[in-house]
Amino acid sequence: MEHFGFLSIIPPILAIVLSVLTKNVLLSLFAGLLVGTTILSSWNPFVGFYIFIKDYIFVQVADSYNAQSMTNMLIIGLFVAIITQSGGAIAFAKYVSRWINTKAKAELAMWFGGLFIWFSDSANALLVGPIFQSIGDRLKVSREKFAYILDATASPVCSTIPIISWGVYIMGLIDKEFEALQVTNMTSWDAFIKAVPFQFYSILTVLMVGYMAYTQFDYGPMLRAQKRAESGKLLRDGAVPLRNTKQVELPEGAEPKLITMILPLITLLGLMFFIFILNGFPFEPLKGNIIRVGIATGFLIGALVCVLLSVKYKVMTFKKAQDIAMEGMSDMIYLMVVMVFAWSLGSLCKNLGTADYIIEVSKDFLNPALLPMILFTIGAAMSLATGSSWGPYAILMPIAIPMSMTMGAPLFVTIAAVISGGLFGDHCSPLSDTTILASMGAASDHIDHFRTQFPYALTVAAVCVPLYIIAGFSQKTFIIIPGAIALAIVIYFLHKLSMNKYSKEIALKSDNMPA
């Protein structure tokens, strides 16, 4: 394996550490990229900067997948702005207030909304976010908790669906290995479906969101954020949300109408699934570009329907709608720059051999019986460092499948361990595009989102480690049940410990207050 040794992990580690210390994601990514390109150019910073622009920024912007994704972001941005300023979300919040009247119910509604948008990890955050923001704000759900719910119902859900881009990509990797190994007794579809029950990180993360929404058993930094929100401060002082939230101001005499949100959403989903069905859904896997075309078409026509309704109900004029659409797209520019930098860092890590180095230093620990657990741990480290799941999948799947079949380790558990390990970083790394999108969807400060979510992700990962050890021996799908029970117990005790610590700090502050 070719890599730059210890130097190969410096750029991603630098980007993560700086982002936490400075709370400036863009600057941190830039620093990590510049250090990495300087390493590649034999420590010549001038050549490094030239490579940074030529071989990374320009290449990532020109990539067809990235270009389509950025175009979709602009379209989603204008849709979000139009539907928000139409007053539809306000009308929706008023309509459901008779049922959603507590913080727990608000978080459960956000959870269900996230589960419903299963066809795209990016659409999840950017659609569910604006719809439920006013509800969360009214019931004092912290923006950090909102971002966590969006993040934890995005890629963890998508990674279990075989007919969207996630499943298509993973099955493509499995196909290549099956062809090389001349496997004829099963297909990649069979392998993916049978691996789903062993995707412990995905399943437990989704269950954890619902459990914590219902019980309100928050802990660590998230508990502090939730307590702060109860006092009316949805964001901490000095926070920089990734999405501007403007007060909706309707013209005099205009009333917010629920139909200005419901009909555009029905149009959006109807057109999207019409395009999917024309291309074989649900009987054939959907290609990534078909999904992106469906998303773009649905959001664009949905926005047009919202404009027409808003004009009809005298909420806005066509000129006003155009201005709002342009503002919505401009709000996405910062996010797009961050994502180009994040994609560039992922490409840089590949050229530096970051993942290869992590595998090499850990190869001495490989053992057939513990193969799933080891691959999960390695994948988690790789994805956390790179902010990507698909990169670790591309590297680990060609290693995992032949090793599993040669050494006699359980194949479906091994495949699931690779998927879950890669998902860990995609879900919680501050460099991950889905983590960035969740911050944007919830209008949360990105580093605050990472800081509050990371302990939750670690908790699930810690429970997954023994589960993969057990699954490596037993290959029984039912072990997810005791795993979920164990996770619930751990969360309960972590909540109690955090509550005791928080109560003592509040009492100490009260004692120190001047009389």
Side-chain angles (χ1 to χ4, degrees):
M1 295 183 182
E2 295 183 1
H3 55 73
F4 279 68
F6 180 74
L7 294 176
S8 64
I9 64 173
I10 289 179
I13 290 176
L14 177 65
I16 293 172
V17 172
L18 281 179
S19 63
V20 174
L21 294 178
T22 67
K23 295 182 171 57
N24 189 321
V25 181
L26 201 58
L27 177 63
S28 303
L29 287 168
F30 177 78
L33 278 165
L34 202 55
V35 168
T37 53
T38 301
I39 292 172
L40 283 176
S41 57
S42 303
W43 299 102
N44 187 322
F46 299 104
V47 176
F49 192 83
Y50 173 79
I51 291 173
F52 163 68
I53 298 295
K54 173 179 173 289
D55 295 340
Y56 292 95
I57 300 302
F58 283 178
V59 169
Q60 293 303 319
V61 172
D63 180 84
S64 61
Y65 169 84
N66 294 349
Q68 291 172 17
S69 296
M70 288 189 288
T71 302
N72 275 2
M73 277 187 242
L74 291 175
I75 293 172
I76 292 172
L78 74 86
F79 174 88
V80 168
I82 290 289
I83 205 168
T84 300
Q85 294 301 312
S86 74
I90 295 176
F92 175 73
K94 289 180 179 178
Y95 181 76
V96 300
S97 62
R98 69 190 79 175
W99 302 291
I100 305 176
N101 50 19
T102 66
K103 181 187 289 189
K105 289 179 180 178
E107 292 179 10
L108 283 171
M110 295 168 183
W111 179 55
F112 281 118
L115 295 177
F116 181 71
I117 310 297
W118 50 265
F119 46 83
S120 168
D121 49 7
S122 59
N124 178 305
L126 298 180
L127 182 58
V128 177
I131 291 174
F132 285 95
Q133 182 187 316
S134 58
I135 297 173
D137 289 356
R138 177 171 58 83
L139 295 170
K140 299 180 179 179
V141 177
S142 69
R143 294 286 175 80
E144 293 93 331
K145 184 66 176 289
F146 190 10
Y148 163 68
I149 295 172
L150 294 179
D151 210 346
T153 53
S155 48
V157 173
C158 291
S159 66
T160 64
I161 308 296
I163 57 174
I164 63 175
S165 56
W166 282 74
V168 171
Y169 176 71
I170 293 169
M171 286 188 289
L173 296 174
I174 296 172
D175 262 330
K176 288 182 180 179
E177 300 313 309
F178 279 6
E179 183 179 348
L181 295 167
Q182 299 182 347
V183 175
T184 58
N185 62 337
M186 75 178 81
T187 65
S188 59
W189 176 277
D190 298 328
F192 183 89
I193 295 298
K194 290 180 180 179
V196 169
F198 297 105
Q199 286 192 40
F200 299 137
Y201 187 83
S202 302
I203 297 169
L204 291 180
T205 294
V206 172
L207 291 177
M208 180 175 176
V209 177
Y211 175 69
M212 297 191 72
Y214 179 76
T215 61
Q216 294 292 291
F217 285 166
D218 291 297
Y219 58 90
M222 189 72 81
L223 176 66
R224 296 176 182 276
Q226 289 284 76
K227 291 296 183 182
R228 183 203 67 226
E230 289 175 3
S231 68
K233 295 175 66 175
L234 301 174
L235 292 160
R236 66 170 173 83
D237 293 333
V240 181
L242 282 192
R243 176 167 61 87
N244 293 326
T245 53
K246 299 177 181 178
Q247 188 70 27
V248 178
E249 297 180 359
L250 301 181
E252 186 176 349
E255 291 291 330
K257 302 285 186 179
L258 184 60
I259 194 172
T260 60
M261 187 186 80
I262 298 300
L263 189 56
L265 288 177
I266 292 173
T267 303
L268 185 161
L269 295 172
L271 277 173
M272 191 180 303
F273 280 98
F274 178 71
I275 291 172
F276 292 171
I277 290 168
L278 286 180
N279 287 275
F281 175 84
F283 305 107
E284 296 178 13
L286 292 171
K287 295 181 179 179
N289 66 316
I290 297 299
I291 294 173
R292 291 188 288 277
V293 168
I295 289 173
T297 304
F299 273 93
L300 201 53
I301 302 301
L304 180 59
V305 170
C306 187
V307 169
L308 294 174
L309 289 171
S310 298
V311 171
K312 176 184 177 181
Y313 292 113
K314 302 186 186 314
V315 172
M316 63 180 77
T317 63
F318 281 111
K319 178 63 171 64
K320 179 67 173 176
Q322 178 181 314
D323 293 340
I324 291 171
M326 295 303 295
E327 288 177 9
M329 287 191 287
S330 66
D331 287 342
M332 304 297 282
I333 299 300
Y334 175 80
L335 177 65
M336 290 168 64
V337 174
V338 170
M339 292 187 71
V340 169
F341 276 24
W343 290 328
S344 298
L345 186 62
S347 177
L348 174 69
C349 288
K350 182 177 180 181
N351 292 334
L352 287 172
T354 303
D356 293 338
Y357 173 70
I358 294 173
I359 292 174
E360 186 170 299
V361 297
S362 57
K363 66 181 180 181
D364 293 336
F365 302 99
L366 293 180
N367 181 288
L370 302 176
L371 184 62
M373 181 273 290
I374 293 169
L375 287 171
F376 169 75
T377 305
I378 294 172
M382 289 166 59
S383 59
L384 180 65
T386 61
S388 166
S389 57
W390 289 21
Y393 291 164
I395 293 168
L396 288 181
M397 204 66 80
I399 297 173
I401 292 176
M403 285 186 67
S404 173
M405 302 191 77
T406 302
M407 301 165 65
L411 177 63
F412 306 131
V413 182
T414 302
I415 291 173
V418 172
I419 297 172
S420 285
L423 182 66
F424 173 78
D426 187 278
H427 172 219
C428 69
S429 172
L431 311 178
S432 167
D433 54 357
T434 49
T435 308
I436 295 166
L437 287 168
S439 299
M440 193 271 181
S444 170
D445 182 285
H446 182 56
I447 300 305
D448 289 346
H449 168 43
F450 163 71
R451 188 174 53 83
T452 52
Q453 174 175 258
F454 192 59
Y456 286 13
L458 280 179
T459 302
V460 178
V463 173
C464 287
V465 169
L467 286 183
Y468 277 117
I469 294 175
I470 297 169
F473 287 99
S474 70
Q475 304 180 47
K476 302 295 183 182
T477 58
F478 71 82
I479 63 172
I480 190 65
I481 298 174
I485 295 171
L487 179 63
I489 293 171
V490 169
I491 290 170
Y492 172 79
F493 281 107
L494 288 173
H495 170 70
K496 289 298 182 183
L497 288 172
S498 292
M499 282 296 296
N500 289 337
K501 183 179 180 181
Y502 180 80
S503 298
K504 289 178 182 178
E505 290 177 357
I506 294 299
L508 185 61
K509 287 182 180 179
S510 299
D511 292 340
N512 292 333
M513 289 286 288

